[in-house]
């Protein structure tokens, strides 16, 4: 059943034991983010900050668990939504030969037509209060991290329309508050909003834009979903809800928005106006995205419902709330991907440490040689998958969410000479590792069980042997520390920690030295990280390795069976990396101390230490970007 705004969703969360109300004052500047970071990383509840200095309660972490994500979609489980889509696709794409077969699918198509959005002439509940002299200061907009460029609206649903085709889009793009009536509009170059902006630029006219906040939580999810450019997000919302979404016309422009939105910010972007500097912003990669030029959004009107709630989220070092949005997308969009692109796909997993685009794990039902590479090549150009930095394809019954078993499988079934393909292509604009904006190296790894035609040599499928000693002990390498514990479990991975501030280029020496070692004693994968990384925290190591590497530039083949990956900061005195390197996202000591002091008064249960105390060890000299 649809929710008529966030207040109704909040009641559902509370009735299911999934919400904590915080009645004491908490500042939207840094404090709410610090509290939320502690809660999200400890699998805590949704939070409602009722006293934040404005009239609007602030809801955060509302999507931060499988149960809450399912409740947001009106389902018992996320998998129910995937099954709805699978069932519909089966009905309309099954064996329907001849006219009679085609006629049998008409009832299903008719049902689908019931979920198309409708436009109302009357005003909606989102327009119960109309503010024609707007001031964004009435909203409890967060400043999340100490080096953010300002306060950011973090869960906006940005409505635009193409000036020629009239096709609409609802996207989620962060918005930095510049003043009472202007914000930045973070339209990344690959997004539909940016495409609409370029089209409006050719008309010489101002571009109408309307931002909605809240409403039925299914809208927020659909605004993040990777839909084809000309498919309305409200069609997906209606299908998931099994109810037509009702839209109303804005007060100051001709766009249509959900009648049950909590808050509406109307306005325009003038394509003839110079771009403005936006950022820095502590981003979902766990690093700051650095300042860049983006369009300016001008506010002409704010409307809201009488019981409006302001929704927000924070991003930063994973895992965060957005990981559950990504998990939901993987589940819901696997059926159409299997149908339209890769029928052999059995499962897809985006590990939290890969922050959506850095690592994609795929398991397939394999039936012929070369099928693993076929899947890698196809996925590399499939919608949002084009941003994937590492794609690993496996087959068999391996659990792709059991990372120890998965790593064993990948090592056992990967031949360095034949099973890894390196290439270049588009990257997420937030990727900092390549040194080239939104373009860099990629790697596809075919770790499927090999058929006879694919086996290059007799050692390829040889079982991994358990190493009974540290394979790098005794090596004279410029390392601060190393961890070879996994090799004792039969997992051929070792982690080296180096200090690039003392030696600007230790990797070249390590590569040369390792090539002189007894190759049979070396593990199959050697990861080199900075000395500030906790090399016994495998989640942190993985996150750093995926974020800090360009797969083409940073891999080294040590021997026919050993590969090394350089996951260190590349901005060193060697001068090899040209560009800026972002710092990791952490709270400042003053905010941490203040939240510690107020914790017992917040009603959040047992004291939780700040995740930034550990992550702060990764910080380098500088603010949002690293300084040498």
């Amino acid at each position: 059943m649809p929710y008529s705004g966030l207040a109704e969703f909040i009641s559902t969360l509370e009735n299911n034991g999934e919400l904590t109300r915080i009645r004491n004052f908490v500042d939207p500047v840094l404090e709410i983010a610090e509290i939320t970071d502690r809660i999200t990383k400890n699998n805590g509840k949704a939070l409602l900050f009722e006293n934040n200095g404005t009239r609007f309660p602030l809801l955060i972490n509302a999507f931060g668990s499988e149960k809450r994500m399912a409740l947001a979609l009106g389902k018992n489980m996320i998998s129910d939504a995937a099954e709805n889509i699978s069932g519909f696709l089966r009905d309309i794409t099954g064996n329907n030969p001849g006219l009679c077969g085609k006629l049998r699918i008409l009832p299903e198509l008719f049902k689908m037509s019931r979920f198309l959005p409708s436009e109302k002439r009357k005003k909606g509940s989102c327009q119960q209060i109309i503010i024609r002299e707007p001031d964004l200061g009435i909203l409890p907009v967060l400043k999340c991290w100490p080096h953010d460029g300002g306060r950011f609206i973090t869960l906006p649903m940005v409505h635009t329309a193409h000036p020629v085709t009239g096709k609409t889009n609802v996207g989620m793009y962060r918005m930095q508050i510049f003043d009472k009536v202007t914000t930045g509009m973070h339209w990344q170059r690959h997004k539909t909003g940016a495409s609409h902006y370029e089209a409006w630029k050719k008309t010489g006219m101002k571009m109408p834009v309307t931002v909605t906040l809240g409403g039925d939580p299914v809208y927020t999810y659909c605004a993040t979903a990777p839909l084809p450019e000309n498919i309305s997000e409200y069609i997906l919302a209606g299908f998931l809800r099994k109810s037509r979404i009702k839209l109303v016309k804005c007060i100051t422009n001709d766009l249509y928005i959900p009648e049950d939105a909590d808050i509406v910010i109307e306005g325009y972007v003038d394509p003839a106006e110079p771009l403005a500097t936006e950022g820095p912003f502590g981003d979902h990669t766990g690093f700051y995205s650095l300042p860049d030029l983006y369009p300016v959004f001008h506010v002409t009107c704010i409307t809201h419902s009488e019981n409006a709630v302001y929704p927000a989220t924070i991003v930063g070092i994973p895992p965060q709330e957005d990981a559950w949005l990504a998990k939901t997308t993987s589940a819901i969009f696997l059926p159409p991907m299997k149908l339209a692109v890769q029928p052999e796909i059995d499962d897809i997993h985006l590990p939290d440490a890969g922050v959506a685009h850095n690592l994609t794990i795929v398991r397939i039902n394999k039936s012929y040689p070369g099928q693993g590479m076929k899947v890698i090549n196809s996925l590399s150009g499939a919608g949002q998958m084009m941003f994937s930095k590492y794609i690993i394809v496996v087959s068999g019954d391996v659990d792709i969410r059991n990372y120890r078993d998965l790593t064993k499988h990948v090592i056992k079934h990967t031949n360095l000479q034949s099973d890894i393909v390196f290439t270049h292509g588009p990257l997420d604009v937030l990727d900092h590792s390549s040194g080239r904006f939104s373009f860099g190296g990629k790697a596809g790894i075919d770790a499927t069980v090999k058929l006879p035609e694919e086996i290059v040599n007799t050692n390829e499928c040889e079982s991994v042997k358990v190493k009974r000693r540290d394979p790098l002990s005794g090596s004279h390498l410029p390392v601060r520390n190393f961890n070879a514990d996994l090799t004792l479990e039969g997992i051929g991975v070792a982690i080296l920690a180096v200090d690039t501030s003392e030696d600007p280029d230790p990797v070249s020496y390590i590569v040369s030295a390792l090539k002189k070692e007894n190759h049979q004693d070396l593990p199959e994968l050697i990861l080199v990280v900075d000395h500030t990384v906790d090399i016994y925290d495998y989640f942190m190591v993985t996150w750093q390795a995926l974020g800090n590497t360009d797969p083409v530039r940073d891999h080294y083949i040590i021997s026919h069976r050993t590969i090394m990956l350089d996951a260190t900061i590349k901005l060193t005195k060697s001068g090899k990396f040209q560009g800026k390197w972002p710092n990791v996202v952490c709270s400042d000591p003053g905010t941490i101390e203040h939240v510690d002091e107020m914790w017992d008064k917040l009603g959040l249960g047992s004291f939780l230490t700040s995740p930034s105390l550990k992550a702060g060890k990764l910080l380098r000299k500088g603010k949002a970007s690293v300084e040498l």
Side-chain angles (χ1 to χ4, degrees):
M1 182 177 176
Y3 298 102
S4 58
L6 283 181
E8 192 170 303
F9 181 47
I10 287 168
S11 295
T12 298
L13 291 176
E14 198 158 31
N15 292 337
N16 282 270
E18 289 288 324
L19 180 84
T20 298
R21 292 178 180 267
I22 300 174
R23 294 181 169 86
N24 286 52
F25 173 75
V26 181
D27 198 329
V29 175
L30 301 179
E31 292 179 4
I32 287 180
E34 168 60 17
I35 292 168
T36 305
D37 194 34
R38 300 186 192 198
I39 295 297
T40 55
K41 287 188 169 59
N42 287 277
N43 303 309
K45 298 179 181 181
L47 304 175
L48 187 67
F49 290 90
E50 297 181 320
N51 186 353
N52 54 58
T54 75
R55 64 164 292 176
F56 301 99
L58 182 148
L59 178 66
I60 197 166
N61 200 30
F63 303 98
S65 72
E66 182 171 8
K67 183 175 181 179
R68 293 199 292 280
M69 197 71 238
L71 289 172
L73 300 182
K75 310 295 180 183
N76 293 320
M77 296 185 295
I78 294 173
S79 57
D80 292 341
E83 181 54 35
N84 289 160
I85 289 179
S86 294
F88 175 74
L89 292 174
R90 283 194 301 268
D91 290 339
I92 67 172
T93 62
N95 293 323
N96 296 303
L99 178 61
C100 291
K102 290 179 172 61
L103 289 175
R104 276 194 288 269
I105 72 172
L106 290 180
E108 293 302 322
L109 295 177
F110 178 73
K111 287 181 191 176
M112 188 66 183
S113 69
R114 292 185 299 151
F115 307 139
L116 298 178
S118 65
E119 296 177 356
K120 293 175 55 178
R121 292 186 178 181
K122 295 181 180 180
K123 289 184 173 61
S125 62
C126 64
Q127 297 163 328
Q128 288 172 336
I129 297 174
I130 300 173
I131 304 172
R132 294 184 180 274
E133 295 183 3
D135 179 359
L136 292 168
I138 67 173
L139 303 175
V141 182
L142 299 181
K143 179 177 180 179
C144 302
W145 306 107
H147 302 309
D148 283 355
R151 297 192 186 208
F152 285 81
I153 300 173
T154 53
L155 274 182
M157 290 168 278
V158 181
H159 297 66
T160 60
H162 193 283
V164 178
T165 68
K167 295 293 185 180
T168 60
N169 179 69
V170 185
M172 187 162 290
Y173 318 106
R174 75 186 190 220
M175 298 167 60
Q176 181 180 344
I177 304 295
F178 291 154
D179 56 36
K180 292 194 297 185
V181 292
T182 61
T183 79
M185 188 59 74
H186 194 258
W187 279 328
Q188 300 173 10
R189 58 167 52 178
H190 303 109
K191 304 298 185 180
T192 304
S195 173
H196 285 184
Y197 172 74
E198 291 300 322
W200 277 95
K201 188 182 293 185
K202 296 175 184 177
T203 69
M205 297 185 293
K206 293 178 180 179
M207 175 183 180
V209 179
T210 294
V211 176
T212 61
L213 296 162
D216 191 318
V218 75
Y219 307 152
T220 300
Y221 168 69
C222 291
T224 71
L227 293 173
E229 186 165 322
N230 292 324
I231 300 297
S232 168
E233 287 73 14
Y234 294 124
I235 294 177
L236 175 61
F239 182 80
L240 292 172
R241 271 281 171 262
K242 296 294 183 285
S243 176
R244 191 187 298 268
I245 307 304
K246 297 175 182 178
L247 306 177
V248 295
K249 187 174 178 292
C250 292
I251 303 297
T252 61
N253 63 38
D254 293 331
L255 295 172
Y256 280 79
I257 54 170
E259 63 92 19
D260 59 347
D262 280 65
I263 299 167
V264 182
I265 308 171
E266 300 180 14
Y268 66 88
V269 168
D270 185 353
E273 185 178 19
L275 301 178
T277 299
E278 186 262 10
F281 177 71
D283 230 310
H284 78 274
T285 59
F287 299 85
Y288 282 95
S289 55
L290 301 180
D292 207 344
L293 297 175
Y294 284 95
V296 176
F297 172 60
H298 297 264
V299 180
T300 54
C301 179
I302 295 176
T303 71
H304 61 85
S305 63
E306 291 178 348
N307 62 346
V309 175
Y310 178 85
T313 190
I314 64 165
V315 290
I317 294 176
Q320 296 283 5
E321 179 180 8
D322 62 316
W324 290 101
L325 294 167
K327 288 180 173 71
T328 303
T329 292
S330 295
I332 290 179
F333 286 88
L334 178 58
M337 181 176 291
K338 289 175 66 173
L339 177 69
V341 184
Q342 302 288 344
E344 59 267 89
I345 291 177
D346 179 55
D347 197 4
I348 290 180
H349 176 49
L350 306 177
D352 293 347
V355 296
H357 295 311
N358 286 346
L359 177 62
T360 301
I361 309 293
V362 185
R363 186 176 65 209
I364 66 171
N365 296 311
K366 184 173 179 177
S367 58
Y368 56 83
Q371 200 168 4
M373 282 297 178
K374 176 247 187 183
V375 170
I376 290 170
N377 291 328
S378 296
L379 287 182
S380 296
Q384 297 285 320
M385 286 288 181
M386 72 176 179
F387 298 126
S388 296
K389 192 188 293 189
Y390 293 90
I391 298 177
I392 300 175
V393 180
V394 301
S395 63
D397 59 0
V398 61
D399 182 354
I400 62 175
R401 291 166 180 80
N402 182 321
Y403 299 136
R404 277 177 158 78
D405 288 351
L406 175 64
T407 304
K408 284 183 182 180
H409 179 98
V410 171
I411 289 174
K412 178 179 179 180
H413 296 288
T414 302
N415 185 304
L416 297 185
Q417 302 169 56
S418 58
D419 296 336
I420 305 179
V421 57
F422 293 100
T423 186
H424 291 86
L427 295 174
D428 189 305
V429 299
L430 303 180
D431 184 88
H432 62 271
S433 64
S434 75
R436 292 176 289 180
F437 183 61
S438 68
F439 180 79
K442 296 167 174 283
I445 302 170
D446 177 5
T448 58
V449 178
K450 300 302 183 292
L451 298 174
E453 298 89 340
E454 298 174 294
I455 295 177
V456 174
N457 59 60
T458 57
N459 294 325
E460 182 169 340
C461 294
E462 189 178 279
S463 296
V464 178
K465 297 178 180 178
V466 177
K467 311 291 196 297
R468 295 302 182 187
R469 67 179 183 85
D470 291 339
L472 300 174
S473 61
S475 298
H476 300 290
L477 301 176
V479 299
R480 282 284 196 95
N481 199 2
F482 72 88
N483 175 4
D485 288 356
L486 290 174
T487 65
L488 302 178
E489 298 180 33
I491 303 173
V493 178
I495 305 162
L496 309 184
V498 300
D499 187 350
T500 55
S501 63
E502 293 182 352
D503 183 347
D505 192 17
V507 173
S508 297
Y509 182 89
I510 291 172
V511 171
S512 177
L514 289 180
K515 286 185 176 182
K516 298 174 184 177
E517 293 285 328
N518 180 349
H519 295 156
Q520 295 305 311
D521 281 343
L522 291 178
E524 286 82 355
L525 174 63
I526 299 173
L527 294 175
V528 183
V529 298
D530 290 289
H531 70 285
T532 54
V533 176
D534 180 354
I535 59 176
Y536 294 94
D537 182 338
Y538 296 126
F539 184 93
M540 178 181 284
V541 169
T542 305
W543 163 60
Q544 286 277 295
L546 295 171
N548 283 345
T549 56
D550 179 302
V552 174
R553 180 195 63 211
D554 294 330
H555 84 276
Y556 299 86
I557 303 298
I558 304 301
S559 71
H560 71 280
R561 63 187 298 276
T562 298
I563 188 171
M564 191 184 87
L565 200 59
D566 174 13
T568 62
I569 291 176
K570 302 304 181 299
L571 186 70
T572 68
K573 294 179 181 178
S574 67
K576 290 184 177 181
F577 182 87
Q578 300 299 316
K580 293 184 177 181
W581 196 272
N583 242 323
V584 298
V585 177
C586 293
S587 290
D588 63 272
T591 300
I592 294 171
E593 183 178 353
H594 190 215
V595 169
D596 286 349
E597 293 171 352
M598 71 167 73
W599 189 269
D600 289 340
K601 301 176 182 178
L602 299 177
L604 292 169
S606 301
F607 178 76
L608 299 174
T609 59
S610 173
S612 291
L613 293 176
K614 180 174 183 178
K617 297 176 182 177
L618 298 171
L619 287 170
R620 295 298 184 100
K621 181 183 177 182
K623 294 183 179 179
S625 59
V626 175
E627 298 175 2
L628 292 177

